[in-house]
């Protein structure tokens, strides 16, 4: 069974620790599928089929090499437990309801891959920030797409594990041509294949940097 792997507790990121020495190469030992952010919050990260991409504030995506560093990543090796085909016009609320219905318990981790056609998608990403800037001051930049095909990659994390990873559903989008993407904010779905992996195990890495060791979490 592949665990969900966290490179750091997300609470460290929330405290403004935006630089760690974790690399994409480190992350790939623990998964081929997942999400995160780059050092100094310089764009969102998505990993799909073993390749990592940086998602920028102009809505563009590009692949990144193994040396890129990140303060937070959540990955697993993706092997779906269930696969569901949906052909239905669903607004954002309908889409969220569907995701809730597809998980049998809120006390489990799930890795979620949604390959779909979307009539509308609103994503966001973040410009490079100064390390330690309070997260409350960081404003993401939104970006819209119309009629786009692609993949949502992410996880459901139980609420009681919210200090370790973003609680609830957290999904990043990558277009089918691998050239666009961002952190999912809203969408309108036309059709999709929704693959869900139940993950009953968590592996948490604790960073060994001075910042991490000396911050009051
Ligand atoms: Zn995100």
């Amino acid at each position: 069974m592949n665990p969900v792997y966290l490179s750091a507790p997300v609470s460290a990121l929330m405290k403004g620790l935006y630089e760690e020495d974790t690399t994409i190469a480190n992350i790939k030992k623990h998964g081929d599928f997942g999400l995160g952010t780059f050092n100094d919050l310089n764009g969102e990260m998505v990993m799909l089929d073993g390749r990592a991409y940086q998602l920028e504030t102009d809505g563009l995506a590009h692949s990144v090499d193994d040396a890129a560093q990140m303060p937070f990543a959540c990955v697993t090796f993706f092997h779906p437990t269930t696969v569901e085909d949906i052909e239905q016009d669903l607004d954002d609320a309908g889409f969220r309801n569907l995701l809730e219905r597809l998980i049998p318990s809120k006390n489990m981790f799930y890795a979620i891959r949604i390959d779909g056609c979307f009539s509308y998608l609103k994503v966001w990403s973040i410009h490079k920030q100064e390390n330690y800037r309070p997260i409350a001051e960081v404003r993401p930049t939104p970006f819209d797409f119309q009629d786009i095909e692609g993949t949502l990659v992410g996880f459901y994390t139980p609420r009681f594990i919210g200090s370790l990873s973003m609680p609830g559903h957290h999904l990043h989008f990558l277009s089918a041509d691998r050239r666009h993407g961002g952190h999912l904010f809203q969408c309108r779905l036309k059709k999709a294949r929704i693959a869900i992996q139940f993950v009953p195990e968590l592996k948490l890495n604790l960073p060994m940097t001075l910042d991490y060791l000396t911050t009051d979490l």
Side-chain angles (χ1 to χ4, degrees):
M1 182 63 71
N2 301 305
V4 162
Y5 175 82
L6 298 173
S7 69
V10 79
S11 49
L13 192 77
M14 294 301 149
K15 279 276 180 175
L17 303 189
Y18 302 147
E19 294 180 356
E20 291 295 348
D21 29 15
T22 306
T23 62
I24 293 284
N26 299 143
I27 295 297
K28 283 181 174 173
K29 292 180 195 154
H30 302 280
D32 58 7
F33 174 97
L35 49 71
T37 183
F38 292 96
N39 271 6
D40 304 310
L41 304 184
N42 189 15
E44 305 274 344
M45 189 278 277
V46 65
M47 187 180 281
L48 181 60
D49 300 327
R51 298 190 78 150
Y53 300 83
Q54 187 173 13
L55 311 173
E56 307 216 58
T57 48
D58 53 7
L60 293 177
H62 59 84
S63 62
V64 287
D65 65 38
D66 282 356
Q69 292 178 310
M70 45 203 1
F72 175 79
C74 178
V75 296
T76 193
F77 289 101
F78 191 68
H79 300 289
T81 315
T82 63
V83 178
E84 194 105 7
D85 286 312
I86 305 290
E87 197 156 355
Q88 208 179 345
D89 182 37
L90 289 174
D91 64 7
D92 195 64
F95 172 68
R96 305 278 167 182
N97 283 340
L98 174 67
L99 288 188
E100 298 258 310
R101 282 206 313 276
L102 290 176
I103 60 169
S105 166
K106 290 187 170 175
N107 302 332
M108 176 66 57
F109 271 104
Y110 304 91
I112 302 166
R113 174 176 177 152
I114 302 171
D115 292 285
C117 297
F118 302 86
S119 42
Y120 173 75
L121 262 177
K122 188 188 268 302
V123 299
W124 74 45
S125 189
I126 297 177
H127 278 295
K128 189 173 181 183
Q129 302 290 320
E130 230 164 277
N131 201 14
Y132 314 128
R133 184 177 186 190
I135 197 118
E137 290 177 11
V138 175
R139 291 279 171 268
T141 305
F143 201 88
D144 292 339
F145 299 110
Q146 318 281 345
D147 291 314
I148 189 163
E149 267 183 61
T151 305
L152 291 166
V153 170
F155 296 89
Y156 172 87
T157 298
R159 300 272 162 201
F160 63 87
I161 302 175
S163 64
L164 303 183
S165 192
M166 297 253 300
H169 288 100
H170 182 193
L171 297 163
H172 287 186
F173 177 73
L174 184 64
S175 63
D177 63 8
R178 307 293 189 250
R179 290 171 68 182
H180 299 91
H183 168 111
L184 178 69
F185 182 57
Q186 283 179 340
C187 73
R188 187 173 194 108
L189 184 68
K190 282 196 285 198
K191 65 172 187 176
R193 168 159 289 189
I194 303 180
I196 298 182
Q197 177 176 354
F198 296 25
V199 191
E201 197 179 339
L202 170 66
K203 189 171 180 184
L204 172 65
N205 179 67
L206 299 176
M208 291 286 273
T209 55
L210 188 63
D211 274 353
Y212 177 79
L213 295 171
T214 56
T215 295
D216 182 5
L217 296 177

